Amino acid sequence: MASAELDIRQEIPARRHELIFSTYGALAADEQFVLVNDHDPKPLYYQFAAEHAGRFTWEYLEEGPEVWKVRIGRLAG
C-alpha cells in the first residue's frame, strides 16, 4: 500500500507541526503517511514520543542532506 505524502518544505515553520499532527490525527489505525521535510525532524519525533507514546511508528526512508522522508504511522489500540 502506498503512503500519502505530506510535503511541508514550503510551509512556514509555525504551521508545520499543526499540519503534521492534524494529518496524523486523521489516520485510521494501521494507516501511515510519509513526511517530506528539509531538515531532520528529530524534535518532532520527541514530541510524538511525549504525546503519543506507544501509538505511533517512525521510519526514516531518506536522511538528507537536502530532503528527509519519514514514514509515520498510527498503531491500532
Side-chain angles (χ1 to χ4, degrees), residues 12-38:
I12 59 169
R15 188 151 150 64
R16 290 180 176 193
H17 282 209
E18 175 188 340
L19 285 169
I20 294 162
F21 282 103
S22 66
T23 300
Y24 173 79
L27 294 176
D30 296 324
E31 285 187 336
Q32 55 200 7
F33 69 98
V34 174
L35 172 65
V36 181
N37 204 356
D38 56 9

Side-chain angles (χ1 to χ4, degrees), residues 17 21-22 24 43-56 74:
H17 282 209
F21 282 103
S22 66
Y24 173 79
L44 178 69
Y45 172 82
Y46 293 124
Q47 187 175 352
F48 265 99
E51 297 177 10
H52 302 282
R55 299 190 314 257
F56 75 100
R74 182 181 209 118

Side-chain angles (χ1 to χ4, degrees), residues 4 6 33-37 39-42 44-45 57-63 68-73:
L6 175 62
F33 69 98
V34 174
L35 172 65
V36 181
N37 204 356
H39 64 274
D40 187 350
K42 185 66 78 179
L44 178 69
Y45 172 82
T57 60
W58 182 277
E59 177 190 3
Y60 281 100
L61 303 176
E62 190 173 331
E63 296 184 65
W68 277 259
K69 290 187 179 186
V70 180
R71 181 181 294 123
I72 301 171

